[in-house]
Amino acid sequence: MPPRPRTLAAAIVAALALGAQAVPAAAADGPAGDSTTTTSRGVEIPAFYTPPSELPGADGTLIRHEPLPLALSLPGIDGPLPGRATRLMYKSTDANGEAVAVTGAYIEPAARWRGDGPRPLVAVAPGTMGQGDQCAASMALEHPLQLNGQTVSVGYEDLSVYRLLLRGVAVVVTDYGGLGTTDRLHTYVNRVDGAHAVLDAVRAARALDSASVTSESRVGLFGYSQGGGATAAAAELQPSYAPDVQLAGTYAGAPPADLTEVTRAIDGSDLAGALGWSLNGFLQTEPALRPIADRYINEAGQEALKDLSTMCVGDALFGYGGDSSTDWTKTGQSISDVIRAEPVLQTFLAEQRIGSLKPAGPVRVATGTSDDLVPHGQARRLAVDWCGKGAQVTYVPVLLPGVGSGLLNHFAPLLTDQGSAISWLTDRLSGEPAGSNCWSMPVQP
């Protein structure tokens, strides 16, 4: 019998709990926007995460920063291992052209960079963390496990960060717009918002006085799932949005490139709650969609969307794993049925599609062949689309058997392929040329 979502969530929580510890936050170097703190599901959100009333004009400009204690850290002769972390807030621009404050973290590694050239920088775009402010990846570096009876937040992305640091690669992690920052809702899987947050994180890291990386440092992007979509979109938008951020290589694992297909797949799955995060984000980005939502979403659906807006992945697994969106609509239609019935929604999702532009620099697209949560077929199609545009693509199908759980089918390739993905990206950061296997796509699974 396939494992239930709640069983899977409990297993993940138990595993991460072994390395979790709480560390008090340090005082900010610059003034916070508010001397008070807010609370999300019983977790105190530090005042650092409240943006100031006015934001700087240039994208990537540092707004404030402070020391960030890493929960999983050891003392070293030259400083803490695997590195010294700094919490960041920087300015970005959202899909509507509006200024937005984004938080994240920069980690200066203790290990020496042994590759060619100056120490490189990798921007890590986290996978799905949730929509509550307590779910932010920068907070997870300090508290890998938040478990208080009201929320379950697991910092699984810490693994990729630490593996990069051990190779002497500097890392900047973005929280994305609205995740952590208390002034707006996180626009989950928004193509433009995610891409801009990733690229501006690079600019913010290079502007940090204590960072060893400079404009001469090679830059790579690393992301899986939601993060894979964000890095894929960033590689496409870099030439127009951030020409100063030259990319040596981009890893996009399990990218949700076609949200129409992903919406259909996650409905009724272990991570059905992600459907609510998507809808919440879409409504924030495009308020014109609100009348459609009001026409279809029933009272139970409205309550679910409100509830999910403060949830992390663990909460959604426990609370909404296996649920169907047909319970959220007045007509009994699924959200996919509603999309098919509404041309405006079809147009909006088409604008979120990744693969219409040629990415900058070499890209590595990996997808589990049994992934039915972020469907394998649409991720493979992204590689095909990019190949058709003359991009330098390394396509990697991760051959694993399906196990009857969408969550495990999606999560297993992350762990299986992560070491190879980091090695590929490290080679690009060392200046080694990348190949391309576009020629093999007709016979690739």
Side-chain angles (χ1 to χ4, degrees):
M1 176 181 294
R4 291 293 297 153
R6 291 162 180 78
T7 304
L8 294 171
I12 294 171
V13 167
L16 277 233
L18 297 176
Q21 66 181 63
V23 182
D29 291 346
D34 195 323
S35 60
T36 62
T37 58
T38 60
T39 301
S40 180
R41 290 189 176 265
V43 177
E44 187 176 274
I45 309 300
F48 181 94
Y49 289 86
T50 299
S53 58
E54 294 186 10
L55 299 179
D59 292 319
T61 299
L62 274 172
I63 298 171
R64 65 174 70 110
H65 58 88
E66 68 176 14
L68 171 63
L70 294 175
L72 305 178
S73 182
L74 295 172
I77 297 176
D78 298 320
L81 302 172
R84 192 179 303 276
T86 302
R87 200 185 325 258
L88 308 174
M89 179 182 285
Y90 58 93
K91 188 262 182 181
S92 189
T93 297
D94 69 12
N96 293 323
E98 297 179 358
V100 57
V102 180
T103 53
Y106 171 81
I107 308 98
E108 179 76 22
R112 183 166 63 90
W113 167 243
R114 299 180 182 278
D116 180 62
R119 187 191 299 278
L121 173 67
V122 167
V124 170
T128 297
M129 307 299 290
Q131 204 159 42
D133 288 331
Q134 77 279 12
C135 319
S138 62
M139 294 188 196
L141 287 167
E142 185 176 7
H143 305 291
L145 176 66
Q146 298 272 13
L147 181 61
N148 65 357
Q150 299 183 55
T151 191
V152 179
S153 178
V154 180
Y156 63 88
E157 203 64 72
D158 294 2
L159 177 60
S160 62
V161 171
Y162 277 55
R163 293 180 79 164
L164 287 162
L165 293 173
L166 291 175
R167 292 178 178 239
V169 176
V171 175
V172 64
V173 182
T174 181
D175 290 333
Y176 303 120
L179 191 58
T181 48
T182 58
D183 62 331
R184 61 171 58 201
L185 194 64
H186 172 44
T187 46
Y188 180 69
V189 295
N190 182 290
R191 178 178 68 93
V192 175
D193 285 13
H196 288 184
V198 170
L199 294 168
D200 287 327
V202 173
R203 290 164 159 163
R206 296 195 304 204
L208 191 64
D209 289 340
S210 59
S212 62
V213 296
T214 68
S215 59
E216 302 301 316
S217 299
R218 293 189 178 100
V219 175
L221 307 181
F222 186 97
Y224 187 89
S225 192
Q226 180 187 359
T231 57
E236 288 191 343
L237 295 180
Q238 179 272 327
S240 60
Y241 182 75
D244 54 306
V245 180
Q246 296 295 310
L247 299 178
T250 296
Y251 164 64
D258 186 338
L259 295 187
T260 300
E261 288 197 23
V262 175
T263 296
R264 187 181 306 113
I266 63 176
D267 199 345
S269 73
D270 301 345
L271 199 56
L275 186 57
W277 297 329
S278 302
L279 293 175
N280 283 334
F282 297 162
L283 292 173
Q284 172 157 299
T285 297
E286 186 49 78
L289 299 178
R290 174 61 64 180
I292 298 176
D294 291 341
R295 190 160 68 249
Y296 284 98
I297 304 299
N298 62 21
E299 185 176 350
Q302 296 287 358
E303 286 299 317
L305 295 183
K306 181 180 179 181
D307 193 26
L308 282 159
S309 71
T310 61
M311 281 188 166
C312 300
V313 170
D315 309 322
L317 291 173
F318 284 118
Y320 293 92
D323 287 5
S324 171
S325 67
T326 56
D327 295 330
W328 294 357
T329 62
K330 298 173 182 178
T331 61
Q333 294 171 282
S334 69
I335 295 300
S336 291
D337 291 335
V338 173
I339 292 170
R340 282 192 292 269
E342 295 290 340
V344 173
L345 292 177
Q346 295 171 28
T347 299
F348 179 83
L349 291 179
E351 291 172 350
Q352 296 296 323
R353 176 77 179 270
I354 306 171
S356 62
L357 300 172
K358 179 181 178 181
V363 292
R364 184 181 191 272
V365 179
T367 166
T369 56
S370 296
D371 192 342
D372 50 0
L373 195 66
V374 178
H376 164 69
Q378 58 87 46
R380 182 189 184 280
R381 189 163 61 250
L382 173 63
V384 172
D385 290 343
W386 278 348
C387 285
K389 298 181 185 307
Q392 197 171 11
V393 180
T394 298
Y395 169 72
V396 181
V398 184
L399 304 175
L400 293 173
V403 295
S405 163
L407 183 64
L408 289 181
N409 289 340
H410 179 61
F411 192 68
L414 163 66
L415 299 178
T416 301
D417 184 58
Q418 190 174 83
S420 297
I422 289 175
S423 293
W424 179 89
L425 190 56
T426 303
D427 287 344
R428 306 291 80 74
L429 297 173
S430 292
E432 296 184 22
S436 173
N437 62 353
C438 282
W439 60 270
S440 70
M441 289 307 299
V443 297
Q444 290 278 16

